[in-house]
Amino acid sequence: MRFLASAVLLTLATAASAQLDETEQRIAAAVKERSPAALQLLEKSVRVNSGTLNPEGVREVGKIFAAEFESLGFKTRWAEMPPEMKRAGHLVATHEGTQGKRLLLIGHLDTVFEKNSPVVPWDPRGDRVRGQGVGDMKGGDVIVIEALRALRKVGVLDNTRISVIYTGDEERAGSPLEVARKDMIDLAKRSDVALAFEGSIRRDHGGAGQDMASYSRRSSGGWTLKVSAKSGHSGQVFRENYGAGAIYEAARIIDAFRENLVEENLTFNVGTFSGGTQVSYDEATSQSTAFGKTNVIAKEAIVVGDLRYLTPEQGERVKARMREIVAKSLPHAKAEIAFKDSYPPHAPTEAGRNLLELYSKASMDAGFGPIGALPPADRGAGDLNFVAPIVTGIDGLGAHGSGAHTDNEDLEIASIERGAIRAAILIYRLTR
Ligand SMILES: [Zn+2]
């Protein structure tokens, strides 16, 4: 049965590839011809450790890719970050022209695997390769380069307007974010469309896998709740002149969040909760301390959580409701909540949906089947979120693998060629 099903798929794929015009067929052929060399480029970049906190390594990977962009007629520069941010900076490559849509292509150079990681950098296993950042996301970086190379080879890169940014701190963005993402935002302001090449996600549809991409996903940010209350002997707790203490007040608040605020596309997780006579929370280490006694009414509490929402309106509405709940303090207690936004939401739009359709059409025409829309909550926030308020974008155009961020991160080697063909066809069509 399995064999029969794949035979049918193969027939469909062959029929569908007739959808590419003659130039597009040459683009696809140019990608295929480079596949062994593309894998070598990937290996070269993966063998250099580029954990976010290893700036030398990140820069070195940046140099490897910069040389490729230069050879394709791009101008490259290194966007430095102030030293106190302890981040390597970003690679920026630009191709000037006057034709078609202005594109911004997004990747990142860093990985979660720091220098002391025990994970073997490059470990080929048949048609897959395991290693540091193979899927997240040096595979995607290579896809961008190979797609552009194919366009150049066929002579259709000329006069296109394409900017590329490979950030050096996607996995642990430098602070402040306004500085860390300024270059990307500036590039977005002069672009019409952003394509991000984080790993493609595959979903099972009746046994056959379908690749999925994102045109919308949620914000990422957090909140800190601080509560203070009247202390006293525990024997007095709940009495009119003492109240319930800080821990009961904090518990009231977070339980009211859970009771009243749960809705689609919204989550607010509580990460830590500490209360007692004296408490502290250190943001840098995510460490809380608490001192208290069972016979003393709790004087302080600190609760730290996250908040993810899909649209700016949803975010504002929910924050206002949270503030209302916080303000209804029990007697002799008072509480305040502070919000910290990290990644803005990538709200769903018609234009985003249409862009995903174009990508799906390119994939089908190239014989790889349609691309589905990933539910917004199924992919965490990423670099594309920062420019989503400015430019129409989709993410997940990168390589396909499994176990990203774990010791078993791996990559399906064929997904480089597949991703590069799809991306090249899409870029070609957008820049006509
Ligand atoms: Zn990534």
Side-chain angles (χ1 to χ4, degrees):
M1 270 316 279
R2 206 182 173 86
F3 174 76
L4 272 180
S6 50
V8 171
L9 279 177
L10 203 67
T11 315
L12 286 173
T14 315
S17 68
Q19 304 290 316
L20 296 182
D21 72 20
E22 194 263 333
T23 307
E24 291 170 342
Q25 285 176 32
R26 283 196 289 138
I27 293 168
V31 170
K32 284 182 185 160
E33 195 183 282
R34 275 278 308 177
S35 283
L39 190 62
Q40 284 166 12
L41 174 61
L42 178 62
E43 178 176 358
K44 190 174 162 192
S45 71
V46 168
R47 282 194 183 277
V48 178
N49 174 280
S50 62
T52 315
L53 305 181
N54 172 15
E56 297 80 26
V58 173
R59 283 199 194 93
E60 200 180 324
V61 175
K63 272 185 202 148
I64 293 171
F65 291 143
E68 301 296 325
F69 285 113
E70 292 278 348
S71 78
L72 300 175
F74 282 67
K75 284 207 174 73
T76 68
R77 70 180 175 87
W78 190 255
E80 289 286 351
M81 294 297 110
E84 64 273 16
M85 282 173 64
K86 297 193 166 61
R87 292 296 183 276
H90 320 302
L91 170 65
V92 175
T94 49
H95 191 275
E96 301 298 340
T98 56
Q99 171 187 311
K101 292 246 188 313
R102 302 168 300 167
L103 306 189
L104 172 60
L105 312 181
I106 298 172
H108 64 82
L109 303 166
D110 63 320
T111 75
V112 296
F113 303 95
E114 295 298 341
K115 244 179 179 169
N116 58 2
S117 165
V119 174
V120 53
W122 182 262
D123 180 17
R125 296 171 174 201
D127 57 1
R128 303 184 76 88
V129 58
R130 178 174 162 258
Q132 296 187 7
V134 285
D136 187 10
M137 64 165 283
K138 287 173 182 172
D141 297 334
V142 168
I143 284 175
V144 170
I145 290 166
E146 295 307 327
L148 296 172
R149 198 192 313 272
L151 296 177
R152 179 164 162 106
K153 178 152 193 234
V154 173
V156 291
L157 190 62
D158 293 349
N159 206 26
T160 58
R161 300 178 283 187
I162 300 176
S163 307
V164 182
I165 184 163
Y166 286 179
T167 56
D169 61 350
E170 198 276 341
E171 301 292 0
R172 284 179 75 171
S175 177
L177 284 171
E178 299 74 52
V179 178
R181 290 298 173 268
K182 182 180 186 302
D183 296 274
M184 182 182 285
I185 286 167
D186 287 348
L187 291 169
K189 285 179 182 160
R190 31 163 289 183
S191 304
D192 305 306
V193 165
L195 307 176
F197 289 79
E198 290 278 7
S200 83
I201 291 175
R202 187 166 305 160
R203 285 289 150 83
D204 269 353
H205 282 273
Q210 184 186 9
D211 287 336
M212 312 290 281
S214 304
Y215 72 99
S216 159
R217 58 222 237 240
R218 301 188 300 167
S219 65
S220 167
W223 48 267
T224 304
L225 174 70
K226 286 186 180 164
V227 181
S228 58
K230 188 171 177 182
S231 189
H233 191 285
S234 63
Q236 309 296 320
V237 71
F238 307 138
R239 289 233 177 128
E240 211 179 301
N241 52 345
Y242 279 94
I247 293 178
Y248 275 115
E249 169 63 357
R252 173 195 71 80
I253 292 169
I254 59 173
D255 199 47
F257 290 173
R258 185 185 63 82
E259 286 283 357
N260 297 295
L261 302 183
V262 174
E263 63 179 55
E264 202 182 0
N265 292 318
L266 177 78
T267 53
F268 40 89
N269 180 56
V270 177
T272 73
F273 185 124
S274 46
T277 303
Q278 203 172 31
V279 298
S280 69
Y281 177 74
D282 179 23
E283 208 181 295
T285 58
S286 305
Q287 190 87 33
S288 1
T289 61
F291 167 79
K293 288 187 167 175
T294 56
N295 61 359
V296 179
I297 299 172
K299 191 168 185 288
E300 299 177 354
I302 298 181
V303 185
V304 182
D306 82 340
L307 177 64
R308 295 162 193 270
Y309 49 87
L310 190 59
T311 64
E313 298 71 39
Q314 185 180 35
E316 287 318 305
R317 180 168 50 76
V318 169
K319 285 178 193 171
R321 288 283 289 126
M322 290 172 99
R323 285 192 193 96
E324 270 171 40
I325 290 168
V326 168
K328 286 182 187 154
S329 298
L330 293 171
H332 303 291
K334 66 175 195 289
E336 54 186 51
I337 189 165
F339 296 96
K340 190 176 160 196
D341 296 324
S342 308
Y343 291 71
H346 181 177
T349 63
E350 194 62 35
R353 173 85 233 179
N354 292 342
L355 181 58
L356 181 57
E357 281 302 322
L358 276 183
Y359 180 53
S360 183
K361 177 92 171 39
S363 175
M364 282 191 287
D365 290 350
F368 300 125
I371 309 278
L374 194 69
D378 288 11
R379 182 191 285 275
D383 269 344
L384 182 64
N385 283 69
F386 290 110
V387 297
I390 303 167
V391 67
T392 300
I394 52 175
D395 200 349
L397 280 65
H400 177 70
S402 61
H405 293 198
T406 72
D407 289 3
N408 291 315
E409 177 165 332
D410 87 337
L411 166 83
E412 177 206 347
I413 291 171
S415 73
I416 300 282
E417 181 181 288
R418 195 164 67 232
I421 292 174
R422 283 170 175 161
I425 302 297
L426 177 65
I427 293 169
Y428 170 70
R429 292 178 180 179
L430 288 169
T431 51
R432 284 319 92 192

